[in-house]
Structure formats: C-alpha cells, structure tokens
Amino acid sequence: MSRRKTDRLLHLVVCLLATRRFLTAAQIRRAVPGYPESDEAFKRMFERDKEELRELGIPLEVGAEEDETGYRIPPQAYELPELRLTPDEAAVLGLAARVWKQTNLAEAASGALFKLRAAGIETDPEGSSVLEPRVGTDEPAFPALYEAVRDGRVVSFDYRAMGRSEPQRRVVEPWGLTSGRGRWYLVGHDRVRQAPRVFRLSRVLGEVAAQGPEGAVRVPEDVDIRKIAFEREERPAERRTGRVRLRRGRALGVRRWAVSVAPVDQEWDEAELHVWDVEFLAASLARFADDVLVVEPPDLREAVIRHLKGVLS
C-alpha cells in the first residue's frame, strides 16, 4: 500500500470515528485529503476505500443522513476487547504508541477533527480517543529523524558527544530509532566517521536537516538496531567528579546525592558529586535554578546553562 493511500485511509478512519452522526460522501470528500476533484474519480476511489476498510476488518456502518447515504464507524465496535499482556508485550506496545503520537498519525487525527468542526459537524471525544495513544517523547529532534528514517533520507545535525564541550556537525544515513533506559537513540551510518554510530537524541542540537532524495538510504539486511544501540553507545561511562556550589539551606535534593558537602562562606556550601551522565545530571541540577552553581567540570556547567536557557526561551 502506498504512503499516499495509507494517509488517506487513516484520515478516513479518523473522520468516521470522530462523529456521532453519519457523514455523507460529500462531507467526507471535504474533510479527507487525497481525494481527486473529479466527481467520477472520487466515487471510484471512495468505493475502493470502503472495500479496503471492510477487508481490514474495520466496521463501517451505513445509514441515512439528510436524505443521503451516510457512513460512520461506531467506536464501541472498533475498540479492542480487554487485553492481558505480559510485561514485555506491554513494553513493545508502549514503544509503538510513543512513535504513533509523534508522527503523521497525530497530525491526521487533529487535522480531520479540525475540518469536521469547521464544517459544523459535532465530533465525539469518545470516538477520537480510540486513536489517541498517551505516551510521547519530548525530544525536539524526534519528528524530523523519524521522517528521515521512514523516507530513507540522509540527515545532518549538530551533535554534542559525551565528554565534549563543543558540538560537531554529523551527516548520517539513518537506519532506525530505538528507545531504552528512558532515552531515544538514532542508529545509522556516519558519513563523517565512515562507520555505524549511535546518537542519543537529547544530544542533538538545533534543527535536523534532511537532504537528498527519498529512498537514498538502504538499511543493511543484517542490522540489529537495538543491539547496535545498547552495545555501542551505552557502555558504562567513566565516572568523574564534579563540584557544585549550593546556597546555604537550599537544594536539599542535591545534598542527598552528594558524596560530601562542606561550607564555603555564609551564603554557600560546596558539594562533591559523581558525574556519570552529564545530560541527566544537568537536567536534575537545573531544577534548582539559582540555588546551584556548577564549578566543574566545564561540560556539566554548559549543559546546566543550556537547560536553563531552554526554560526561558
């Protein structure tokens, strides 16, 4: 099935789920993108789409609306029965849901609902919630990288590797995205390094630029994305020592993590911390705002400043 047809059928399902009333063919034509302008061509394509939905097992209900034939999908007939999943199965579905919410599926749902409401058609929150996974990712680079993986396009971006204070420009043939240990990773062929590499999305800075035609990236058949991600990138990092100033009587959470805390003057104490993961520790320290000042290492200080600027922007 082509991507264009998949998008059109997805919009059609969202529209038919999101209303209590039957939608006429004319209303569907206005709300669902991808249908041709010719009346005859639309009728033929719509008939094929209805058959496609029935073959996929989607319950299409037919009724009367404004003396015309109308269509809808009853949410109660579309929903799955109660499922009992093992922890591993639940984890896989959770990962799929995170991808779902960040891609065109979410865009299709919001776009279809907007068009129905603009046409004066009441939408059904219960129906639209059938298509609304609740788990997401807040990584800014995720949508562009997902689209690049899906479309087989080369990408370039600025990347701050672990232990480096300055970002470097990377040009990557993306093979896939995977998630684990609370983080998202891109796996692909680094054209600069001329080797497979793993990139943590939280270390991607600024915009991700796609370049070249779709389909230019070919994923090797023997590639195991998860194996590469968690054997290469996430080997235990070398532990370092960090020093931070804590305002007297404040930042109690940091004091609990600290290896040691000693007074500096009447306003500040100094704490020694173990530094394993700069980005994780920086995000934690940034929550304490001006009650914490990082003395060293420099990359931790820069990471905290970057997090604070992100809150202000």
Side-chain angles (χ1 to χ4, degrees):
M1 187 183 297
S2 69
R3 197 175 109 200
R4 183 178 301 175
K5 183 176 181 180
T6 301
D7 288 346
R8 187 179 70 250
L9 289 176
L10 174 63
H11 280 86
L12 179 57
V13 169
V14 171
C15 277
L16 297 177
L17 267 173
T19 177
R20 296 185 179 91
R21 57 186 280 192
F22 291 97
L23 296 181
T24 66
Q27 290 169 330
I28 292 170
R29 185 179 182 180
R30 289 193 295 269
V32 177
Y35 283 120
E37 294 184 5
S38 165
D39 291 342
E40 288 301 317
F42 164 73
K43 290 178 183 178
R44 291 193 298 270
M45 184 177 289
F46 184 50
E47 288 300 319
R48 290 195 298 268
D49 286 351
K50 289 189 292 182
E51 290 303 315
E52 190 90 37
L53 294 184
R54 292 187 179 105
E55 290 176 6
L56 291 171
I58 297 175
L60 189 62
E61 190 175 283
V62 181
E65 183 67 34
E66 300 176 357
D67 297 325
E68 294 185 48
T69 301
Y71 308 88
R72 70 180 181 185
I73 298 173
Q76 64 273 16
Y78 187 79
E79 292 175 333
L80 291 172
E82 181 181 359
L83 299 178
R84 298 186 181 276
L85 304 174
T86 67
D88 287 344
E89 291 169 335
V92 170
L93 288 180
L95 176 60
R98 276 178 279 182
V99 175
W100 190 329
K101 188 173 182 181
Q102 290 299 318
T103 61
N104 286 343
L105 298 170
E107 295 175 14
S110 60
L113 295 178
F114 177 80
K115 290 179 180 178
L116 288 176
R117 291 165 185 153
I121 299 171
E122 182 182 2
T123 59
D124 183 2
E126 179 183 351
S128 59
S129 67
V130 175
L131 287 169
E132 188 180 349
R134 294 292 194 265
V135 186
T137 173
D138 57 0
E139 298 292 355
F142 184 94
L145 290 174
Y146 175 83
E147 291 179 4
V149 171
R150 180 195 65 193
D151 298 338
R153 298 186 68 189
V154 176
V155 290
S156 60
F157 49 81
D158 291 329
Y159 187 76
R160 179 182 281 108
M162 182 181 292
R164 292 182 178 271
S165 59
E166 295 298 325
Q168 295 178 313
R169 193 68 177 172
R170 299 296 185 93
V171 181
V172 180
E173 299 173 14
W175 292 345
L177 289 160
T178 187
S179 177
R181 304 168 191 170
R183 304 182 183 97
W184 278 95
Y185 301 87
L186 171 72
V187 178
H189 178 77
D190 188 330
R191 288 187 172 181
V192 177
R193 302 293 189 272
Q194 287 297 307
R197 286 291 186 271
V198 180
F199 304 92
R200 189 190 297 179
L201 267 61
S202 62
R203 297 190 186 125
V204 175
L205 306 179
E207 297 294 324
V208 175
Q211 56 193 60
E214 294 185 7
V217 176
R218 300 294 181 184
V219 182
E221 293 183 2
D222 59 346
V223 162
D224 185 329
I225 300 297
R226 289 190 63 81
K227 184 176 180 181
I228 294 175
F230 300 119
E231 285 188 358
R232 286 178 179 268
E233 177 71 358
E234 287 304 296
R235 292 172 182 164
E238 179 182 353
R239 189 182 75 184
R240 295 184 291 163
T241 299
R243 291 189 302 120
V244 299
R245 295 283 176 93
L246 308 176
R247 196 178 301 277
R248 182 68 59 85
R250 309 299 293 272
L252 299 181
V254 182
R255 294 173 186 272
R256 288 194 293 269
W257 311 332
V259 178
S260 63
V261 180
V264 175
D265 54 34
Q266 292 184 346
E267 186 178 2
W268 297 96
D269 297 330
E270 186 168 286
E272 180 179 308
L273 304 174
H274 287 156
V275 180
W276 294 95
D277 184 322
V278 169
E279 291 297 329
F280 179 80
L281 182 56
S284 301
L285 293 175
R287 291 189 292 113
F288 296 93
D290 62 350
D291 289 330
V292 172
L293 297 174
V294 178
V295 179
E296 61 177 10
D299 56 336
L300 177 60
R301 181 182 177 86
E302 292 173 4
V304 171
I305 293 172
R306 189 167 65 253
H307 277 277
L308 293 173
K309 287 182 176 178
V311 172
L312 296 174
S313 61

